[in-house]
Amino acid sequence: MRTKDQVRSDVWRSMDRDGVSRFPGAEGRIPNFAGAKAAAERLARHSGWLSAEVIKANPDSPQTHARRLALSQGKLLVMAVPRLRDQHRFACSTQSG
């Protein structure tokens, strides 16, 4: 069985090879990719998303559209604040529109 790191490395290489990763490339991060907006729109049609009142997202670029969709749908958005190392690690918003 392959490890999580092996799977990640394979996915990163495939994304770069197939030209779908965006700047600065896929390796070592949650990569931005061509089709991220369409993926977020597909996610927003999933039954789990539709029934959710709270969405936890990462601050990474590929999740930008998903975060916007969550807020526009009136969901509570919980997101880690990048590079913050004190007791306030999460930011919440219910801003709409």
Side-chain angles (χ1 to χ4, degrees), residues 2-34:
R2 296 185 315 155
T3 68
K4 189 175 179 179
D5 285 339
Q6 290 169 325
V7 171
R8 282 181 175 158
S9 291
D10 289 348
V11 169
W12 292 331
R13 277 194 300 278
S14 294
M15 290 180 74
D16 287 339
R17 180 188 65 238
D18 295 343
V20 297
S21 60
R22 299 258 170 97
F23 179 82
E27 189 170 345
R29 61 184 40 84
I30 297 174
N32 199 0
F33 60 96

Side-chain angles (χ1 to χ4, degrees), residues 85 93 97:
R85 299 196 194 310
S93 178

Side-chain angles (χ1 to χ4, degrees), residues 15-86:
M15 290 180 74
D16 287 339
R17 180 188 65 238
D18 295 343
V20 297
S21 60
R22 299 258 170 97
F23 179 82
E27 189 170 345
R29 61 184 40 84
I30 297 174
N32 199 0
F33 60 96
K37 182 177 179 180
E41 290 168 354
R42 184 175 176 191
L43 172 65
R45 294 190 301 268
H46 187 278
S47 61
W49 176 281
L50 294 170
S51 64
E53 295 178 16
V54 179
I55 300 293
K56 190 270 182 190
N58 292 316
D60 303 281
S61 294
Q63 293 185 16
T64 298
H65 195 66
R67 294 191 305 268
R68 287 181 182 149
L69 286 170
L71 291 173
S72 71
Q73 294 171 11
K75 296 180 184 296
L76 176 66
L77 178 62
V78 178
M79 187 174 74
V81 179
R83 296 176 194 87
L84 188 61
R85 299 196 194 310
D86 69 13

